Amino acid sequence: MEFFLSRYRNLSVLLVAILAQLVLLAYQVKSNQDVRLIRVWAVTAVTPMARLIEASRSGVFHFFSDYFVLLDAREENKRMKRDLDQTKMENQYLRTELSTADRAKSLAIFQTHALSKTIAAHIIGNTTDSGAKVVMVDRGSSSGVEKGMAVITPSGIVGKVNRVYSFSSFVLLINDQTFACGVISRKNRVHGTLKGQGNSTVIVDYVQNEEKVEQGEWFDTSGDDLTFPKGHPVGEATVVRPGKSRKEIFVTPSGFQDGLEEVLIVLEGVHAPAPDGALGNQPVHLLAPPPADGDSAATSPPTPNGLSTDADRLLDRYRKIGEAQKHVYGERGSGAPNYNASLDDARKAQDAKSPAQPANQ
Amino acid sequence: MTEFSQEFSEPSRKDRVSKFTVASIILIPLAAILFQVYVPRFFTYLQYLELPLLVTVYFALMWRSPVAGVFFGAGIGLAQDSLSDHPLGMFGIVKTLVGYFAASVSQRFDVENSVVRLVLGFFFYFFHQFFNWVLTRALLGQALDFEPQQTIVVAVLNAAVAVPLYRILDKLRVTG
């Protein structure tokens, strides 16, 4: 053993280092837990510097902007932009609500909805993985941010919170390859799953070739993923073509249009509450059957138990004809009643046979 | 002194080990990692630059010690992991291997030659990205795409940056 370690010292060290990291990795994957302490230290060490750099950058930019370019116009522009963003959000909300109300004719749904509660956040840095589309924002658990919350701008969705620390969070952008969320096309109401590709465009997957999606059609969030509020814009379909089994739909995200500096984290979404109670054993409304010519039984109201079908009514009619003809069902050798006779004829024939009996017996 | 004795008096390639101050060893990798966190925020096109990898390769090449390369690569990789979104160890494993192989290669090549540095920069970037993709698929089960053409282009860019960067880092070596 000693000879082996001295002879293959470099290789042994390599194997031990790899093995140790594999064990660390396996622990995290298997237990679905993070080595939080290391991350907290690292992120906590980086966040203040990130804030400082961002503040310096924005300070220098605003200084030049204020004093050399536009003087006070920047403040006014900022205020107007904020108003415009708010108006766009409200407009989008109202349009969605109106559309929902139109389709469902349901004022109740419209009334239960309210604007999402959001919190503004600055993007202060990237992660160290050059391939991943993950950014760091300056809001963390101290501001009420939780993992899985949606991140949006007035123009569209941006991503979702993936990791939360005290004063910062990581946001997985919608163009990351591991991102997915439910979407619906605005015009044809086709459901699909939005997936990132690692570049500037995203795709909408799981849309069958038979379904209709037009180029230039907008996609909104469907709310199926329980992360994003329903009806928030996602982007415009730039390429729509049939694939092998499913449509290939490429979408340009609208949330990135104005650059990413400030985003909104949705603390409380606007999902309507899911209906309570089991779906089974619910009453089924049935219309009365159409009246048949010369058959009064068909116009009779449904039986109290609600199960009134043509077979039930036919059985009822045969039973009454049998009773009128004094036929006992199940008696051997008694033959069958004359079902061709109408019920009134059968009653008249019976009355003629027994005139002494009162009519009401 | 004869030519024969002169040849023997020069240190062999394996023995030409560079030394750095402790401050350089700590601050340079730290700067490389922080570069990846902050700079792409302002210059998006620089997000393709994998400075921690280039620094790992440089120190492993200069130290010419596979053991040092292993520990240095693992350290930078784990630090990078702690500021990324995936589990700790992904970059750690890849950069451990990069450090080991770069140090092993340095014993056979003249690593102060710019062309060699360019080629090694290109090779190790491609190896890093490919192995990272393999690990992500195999260990995390994430079906990410690997685009060889794009990776080659980015590898060339990284290699092009590596050559002048290594020249600058050469000046931080401790002589004597």
Side-chain angles (χ1 to χ4, degrees), chain A residues 95-113:
Chain A
R95 201 162 56 222
T96 307
E97 291 307 302
L98 198 59
S99 169
T100 305
D102 262 353
R103 282 193 306 277
K105 306 278 186 195
S106 172
L107 192 62
I109 294 175
F110 188 84
Q111 286 171 333
T112 55
H113 280 58

Side-chain angles (χ1 to χ4, degrees), chain A residues 43-276:
Chain A
V43 174
T44 307
V46 161
T47 305
M49 203 186 293
R51 283 173 188 265
L52 195 69
I53 290 175
E54 174 63 21
S56 311
R57 183 198 68 86
S58 114
V60 170
F61 177 77
H62 289 159
F63 175 79
F64 280 101
S65 189
D66 277 344
Y67 291 95
F68 295 102
V69 186
L70 289 170
L71 293 174
D72 293 334
R74 189 183 70 81
E75 276 304 317
E76 191 180 348
N77 188 29
K78 196 175 172 183
R79 194 175 62 249
M80 288 174 72
K81 190 173 181 305
R82 196 166 53 235
D83 290 347
L84 181 65
D85 286 349
Q86 185 66 27
T87 308
K88 277 169 84 175
M89 291 271 295
E90 286 175 5
N91 192 20
Q92 180 61 38
Y93 164 74
L94 290 172
R95 201 162 56 222
T96 307
E97 291 307 302
L98 198 59
S99 169
T100 305
D102 262 353
R103 282 193 306 277
K105 306 278 186 195
S106 172
L107 192 62
I109 294 175
F110 188 84
Q111 286 171 333
T112 55
H113 280 58
L115 278 174
S116 298
K117 186 183 172 189
T118 58
I119 185 171
H122 284 271
I123 294 178
I124 56 172
N126 287 31
T127 59
T128 51
D129 187 355
S130 57
K133 305 294 179 190
V134 182
V135 293
M136 192 191 298
V137 296
D138 64 348
R139 297 284 188 175
S141 56
S142 59
S143 304
V145 178
E146 292 174 12
K147 184 180 177 181
M149 283 180 169
V151 181
I152 60 174
T153 65
S155 309
I157 64 169
V158 170
K160 62 182 172 188
V161 176
N162 220 20
R163 288 184 192 278
V164 183
Y165 303 96
S166 296
F167 301 104
S168 59
S169 307
F170 284 0
V171 175
L172 184 73
L173 300 180
I174 62 170
N175 56 349
D176 187 88
Q177 287 192 44
T178 58
F179 182 91
C181 77
V183 293
I184 185 169
S185 68
R186 194 173 286 177
K187 188 177 174 187
N188 295 303
R189 315 306 297 173
V190 173
H191 280 262
T193 302
L194 184 85
K195 286 181 174 177
Q197 289 192 298
N199 53 35
S200 58
T201 58
V202 293
I203 59 166
V204 176
D205 206 353
Y206 305 117
V207 175
Q208 301 302 315
N209 280 330
E210 294 76 23
E211 293 183 287
K212 189 180 177 188
V213 177
E214 296 167 13
Q215 192 166 338
E217 190 170 352
W218 274 77
F219 278 87
D220 299 320
T221 50
S222 65
D224 297 338
D225 46 53
L226 304 182
T227 299
F228 290 93
K230 184 182 177 184
H232 209 74
V234 171
E236 188 178 7
T238 47
V239 177
V240 179
R241 61 187 176 217
K244 283 182 182 174
S245 59
R246 297 190 290 259
K247 264 192 163 49
E248 292 178 356
I249 303 170
F250 292 83
V251 172
T252 304
S254 57
F256 299 163
Q257 279 175 355
D258 303 325
L260 277 182
E261 287 198 6
E262 288 180 340
V263 292
L264 297 170
I265 301 174
V266 180
L267 299 179
E268 288 174 21
V270 292
H271 286 302
D276 293 330

Side-chain angles (χ1 to χ4, degrees), chain A residues 277-317:
Chain A
L279 291 174
N281 300 323
Q282 289 182 333
V284 178
H285 174 72
L286 293 175
L287 288 175
D293 295 337
D295 191 351
S296 60
T299 58
S300 61
T303 53
N305 61 9
L307 294 173
S308 179
T309 64
D310 286 346
D312 292 332
R313 283 187 292 276
L314 194 62
L315 183 66
D316 188 50
R317 181 168 176 266

Side-chain angles (χ1 to χ4, degrees), chain A residues 316-334:
Chain A
D316 188 50
R317 181 168 176 266
Y318 285 170
R319 187 175 51 77
K320 285 176 180 170
I321 289 174
E323 282 174 2
Q325 295 179 11
K326 297 288 183 191
H327 179 78
V328 181
Y329 286 100
E331 188 176 289
R332 189 183 286 265
S334 64

Side-chain angles (χ1 to χ4, degrees), chain A residues 4-18 21, chain B residues 14 53 55-77 91-109 111 120 123-124 127-128 131:
Chain A
F4 180 84
L5 288 178
S6 60
R7 176 74 178 80
Y8 300 103
R9 187 173 65 103
N10 296 341
L11 202 59
S12 306
V13 170
L14 174 69
L15 288 177
V16 169
I18 297 280
Q21 291 177 85
Chain B
K14 198 172 178 177
L53 171 74
V55 169
T56 304
V57 171
Y58 176 77
F59 278 100
L61 289 176
M62 292 294 112
W63 280 333
R64 298 171 193 272
S65 161
V67 173
V70 163
F71 285 118
F72 191 76
I76 289 193
F91 278 133
I93 292 173
V94 180
K95 285 196 167 56
T96 301
L97 287 169
V98 167
Y100 178 82
F101 289 126
S104 302
V105 162
S106 68
Q107 296 175 355
R108 289 173 172 76
F109 294 100
V111 291
L120 290 178
F123 171 78
F124 281 117
F127 172 81
H128 178 273
F131 205 76

